[in-house]
Amino acid sequence: MSDSEIIEFIEIHDPQVTATMLAGEIRARVQQRRQLGKPHVDFPTYGAVTACPEASQELPFRPNLFHHLRQANRSYNRIETATVLAPSPATQVPVLGRLWSLIREQAHSLVLFYVNRATVEQLKINRHLVSVANELTIMLQEQQATTGRLQQEIEMLREQVERQKEEGK
Amino acid sequence: VKQPVLHQVIVGTAPGDAITAQAFAIRSWLHELGFHSEIFAKYIHQALESEVRPFVTYRPARAESFLIFHHSIGSSLVEEVAQLPLPLILVYHNITPAEFFADVDPVWKQRMLLGRQQLQRLQASTHLGLADSFYNEEELRASGYQETGVLPIVVEESEYNLPNNEGLVARYRDGGPNLLFVGKVAPHKKQEDLIKLLYYYRRIQPGARLLLVGDKWLPGYDEWLADLIANLGLQQSVVLTGRVSQQDMVTYYRIADLYVSMSEHEGFGKPLIESMYLGLPILAYASAAVPLTVGQTGLLFHQKNFEVLAELVDIVMCDPGLRARIIERQRQRVQMYLASEVRQTFLSYLAQLSLVEK
């Protein structure tokens, strides 16, 4: 990270210490720390799902794979849990209607409470599965790109060998 | 002469909750002014059962000309309040954006979405929209509210001038720098980022500790944090206190060396002004209302690069002059949030509504 990048992200209003001064000191400290063998570490993020990769025109791809992947990414968290409490004739009855509404609402909330516990667990699994599918597809795309490059290289080398053979004759 | 009446309605009340504390402060000011004023809620924490009445018992009285409603979350209570034959004084405390829950908890996501929809719906019955920060006032205006104002969250000094819990002081005042964050353990408060920061900071100060004061709230997030702490080998350095008493909370502020916030959504950020009042320098991620609450006092950052931030934390820790200047600026700023100041602001709104003489 450069000094200017650090300056942009620090906001200080002090008569003696400026963002520029802090940036210089921080950069020097980070460099020193790295020289001591303390590497940069990346961490996981709670609730994060790996972004869905797009099919690349340069790489061969199976339309079905990307169809299912897009669908999974769109729907893994589409879980409706709103209570549906439409007014009914019973809720319109004076005094008792209000009481009935309260009982209905409490009953719906209770069901929702327990359903949501299971839903949260399901959502966690969905998140992991969709992330794994996205990660695997990204890896596949990277491997396809590597394989393509290697094939081109083999082709070039093969042509070179052919040419050398021709010249040797 | 009939006693004037002005009640408040709130979805849920709990000890230590900023909105509940604000409702209590307003009630005490109204009592001082001679009003009959009570707080009604749908959900009442058992510790507050003698202080707060259930909303089902509420009936508008003839002497009532307005009702104060605190809005912060979607609830069926909002629909009931909107149907009452009384104009509202809406106190808006902001609603956490639903996207923080989209991938982790559908019910909470739904409550937040509903809260935003209900904010629009409440506009028709609201006479005056009061926000607890300029940031929240902007949201009110964006939602179409015409008559708006700001009524900040208040610091009631008597609640902070408490003796320390000496047991906590003995346990944690052992020289290792203490970083503090106060707030419920929730995805948008980003306690996970504080743990990541601590990992880097302990490479500089191996004795450093992170004190996370706040109620556990979303079980999945608690488990995930516990895993992260274990994976990073920080079990001995991260303290998750759960809900604490007011005295313990004040003690944690006093034994901390720096208040650090990575929160990505704050409608106001009461712990920020508590830090200011209790003389703790602030280093905070500049999200939502945080820059407006902190003003030009503490240190803000706009990106989360933990390696860089750990060095920044160490610089602030090791520079007594800088710390003293930050604390002094914070002390000046917190004056505007003290009860005496906010009470005057509240009185001016009551006068605007002809509820008290100008």
Side-chain angles (χ1 to χ4, degrees):
Chain A
M1 203 171 212
S2 69
D3 277 14
S4 59
E5 285 170 317
I6 299 174
I7 292 166
E8 275 175 29
F9 97 65
I10 297 173
E11 194 178 326
I12 183 167
H13 303 273
D14 189 83
Q16 293 178 35
V17 178
T18 63
T20 312
M21 290 158 71
L22 287 173
E25 191 174 345
I26 288 170
R27 196 176 46 78
R29 280 165 157 252
V30 169
Q31 273 177 356
Q32 202 180 8
R33 209 85 57 197
R34 293 232 178 127
Q35 280 164 5
L36 291 171
K38 302 205 166 166
H40 179 84
V41 181
D42 284 318
F43 305 100
T45 303
Y46 174 72
V49 172
T50 306
C52 180
E54 288 296 322
S56 165
Q57 296 304 317
E58 282 95 56
L59 298 172
F61 70 93
R62 289 168 180 262
N64 273 348
L65 170 68
F66 284 93
H67 168 72
H68 290 303
L69 202 60
R70 272 195 297 270
Q71 291 302 319
N73 275 276
R74 270 183 210 150
S75 53
Y76 75 92
N77 64 358
R78 220 181 270 169
I79 302 166
E80 282 304 318
T81 47
T83 48
V84 184
L85 286 161
S88 73
T91 59
Q92 311 299 318
V93 177
V95 188
L96 286 177
R98 188 153 188 235
L99 184 66
W100 175 236
S101 292
L102 283 172
I103 294 168
R104 273 178 80 196
E105 194 195 328
Q106 289 300 315
H108 279 248
S109 298
L110 186 68
V111 171
L112 201 57
F113 174 78
Y114 287 105
V115 167
N116 195 52
R117 285 168 69 148
T119 306
V120 165
E121 284 306 305
Q122 184 62 56
L123 192 51
K124 192 158 79 180
I125 294 165
N126 290 0
R127 219 163 57 217
H128 292 316
L129 290 178
V130 167
S131 291
V132 167
N134 289 346
E135 290 279 0
L136 286 175
T137 310
I138 293 166
M139 278 172 63
L140 198 66
Q141 286 180 319
E142 286 168 358
Q143 283 175 359
Q144 279 180 323
T146 310
T147 311
R149 271 199 310 277
L150 290 172
Q151 272 173 342
Q152 276 181 345
E153 239 172 87
I154 290 169
E155 223 31 65
M156 274 169 48
L157 289 170
R158 195 174 279 154
E159 281 171 20
Q160 262 181 21
V161 171
E162 288 299 322
R163 269 202 306 276
Q164 280 170 355
K165 270 188 194 166
E166 287 291 319
E167 283 166 10
K169 279 182 188 173
Chain B
V1 179
K2 274 186 183 171
Q3 186 184 24
V5 181
L6 186 53
H7 294 312
Q8 299 179 76
V9 176
I10 184 169
V11 173
T13 55
D17 169 53
I19 302 173
T20 306
Q22 187 80 343
F24 279 130
I26 289 173
R27 188 182 62 178
S28 73
W29 300 332
L30 287 168
H31 285 171
E32 285 163 18
L33 292 165
F35 278 79
H36 172 48
S37 180
E38 294 196 61
I39 299 169
F40 294 87
K42 183 170 180 171
Y43 305 107
I44 304 168
H45 189 279
Q46 60 183 31
L48 299 175
E49 277 171 355
S50 60
E51 294 275 349
V52 180
R53 291 180 58 185
F55 180 72
V56 284
T57 64
Y58 173 74
R59 299 284 176 277
R62 275 194 186 170
E64 269 183 275
S65 48
F66 291 98
L67 179 68
I68 298 175
F69 178 63
H70 294 263
H71 186 49
S72 63
I73 194 161
S75 166
S76 59
L77 176 76
V78 179
E79 307 296 338
E80 291 182 57
V81 168
Q83 284 169 16
L84 291 170
L86 275 176
L88 300 177
I89 301 169
L90 181 85
V91 183
Y92 180 54
H93 299 273
N94 207 284
I95 294 161
T96 307
E99 57 258 31
F100 284 107
F101 304 96
D103 284 348
V104 294
D105 195 307
V107 162
W108 278 108
K109 174 190 151 192
Q110 180 58 31
R111 282 180 190 154
M112 301 308 171
L113 286 174
L114 181 64
R116 294 265 164 199
Q117 290 163 8
Q118 289 174 331
L119 181 63
Q120 306 277 344
R121 203 137 63 235
L122 283 167
Q123 193 202 328
S125 27
T126 299
H127 191 86
L128 174 65
L130 296 178
D132 59 21
S133 66
F134 288 106
Y135 178 83
N136 292 346
E137 189 188 23
E138 281 297 307
E139 284 198 1
L140 279 182
R141 289 193 164 274
S143 300
Y145 286 76
Q146 303 286 323
E147 289 295 317
T148 61
V150 175
L151 183 71
I153 291 281
V154 63
V155 170
E156 197 70 68
E157 289 180 86
S158 60
E159 290 175 13
Y160 298 91
N161 299 330
L162 299 171
N164 281 335
N165 173 341
E166 291 304 330
L168 289 178
V169 176
R171 197 178 315 156
Y172 298 125
R173 208 70 192 102
D174 52 4
N178 289 321
L179 308 181
L180 174 73
F181 177 76
V182 179
K184 65 186 171 197
V185 183
H188 60 286
K189 301 280 183 185
K190 287 283 171 190
Q191 278 89 350
E192 63 183 279
D193 289 344
L194 292 165
I195 293 165
K196 295 167 188 175
L197 173 66
L198 180 72
Y199 174 83
Y200 271 108
Y201 184 48
R202 281 176 60 86
R203 302 206 304 196
I204 307 166
Q205 296 288 346
R209 182 188 290 123
L210 175 63
L211 304 168
L212 295 173
V213 177
D215 210 1
K216 290 181 181 174
W217 192 65
L218 205 65
Y221 192 51
D222 297 344
E223 288 164 20
W224 196 86
L225 288 183
D227 276 351
L228 180 69
I229 291 166
N231 289 339
L232 297 176
L234 296 173
Q235 295 95 322
Q236 303 304 315
S237 333
V238 180
V239 180
L240 281 149
T241 66
R243 186 191 287 266
V244 297
S245 66
Q246 182 72 12
Q247 187 194 14
D248 284 3
M249 188 185 75
V250 169
T251 308
Y252 279 114
Y253 277 110
R254 291 194 187 127
I255 57 184
D257 299 287
L258 187 68
Y259 185 85
V260 190
S261 169
M262 290 276 181
S263 176
E264 295 191 355
H265 185 78
E266 294 291 344
F268 179 82
K270 190 175 183 185
L272 297 167
I273 56 170
E274 290 173 334
S275 298
M276 289 179 192
Y277 184 75
L278 292 163
L280 186 62
I282 296 169
L283 174 66
Y285 181 56
S287 65
V290 171
L292 291 168
T293 303
V294 172
Q296 299 192 344
T297 61
L299 262 164
L300 297 175
F301 53 93
H302 297 267
Q303 273 180 47
K304 292 185 182 177
N305 181 320
F306 305 113
E307 191 175 19
V308 166
L309 286 173
E311 300 297 345
L312 184 57
V313 167
D314 198 48
I315 289 169
V316 178
M317 291 286 194
C318 300
D319 186 338
L322 176 61
R323 286 175 63 84
R325 290 193 298 278
I326 291 173
I327 290 167
E328 181 49 34
R329 285 196 296 271
Q330 291 180 172
R331 276 200 204 285
Q332 287 168 16
R333 181 152 182 96
V334 81
Q335 301 305 312
M336 66 191 279
Y337 300 116
L338 296 183
S340 49
E341 283 292 315
V342 182
R343 187 181 185 274
Q344 287 306 314
T345 310
F346 181 66
L347 279 180
S348 69
Y349 291 123
L350 291 185
Q352 190 182 319
L353 297 168
S354 305
L355 289 167
V356 292
E357 284 179 15
K358 286 187 184 176

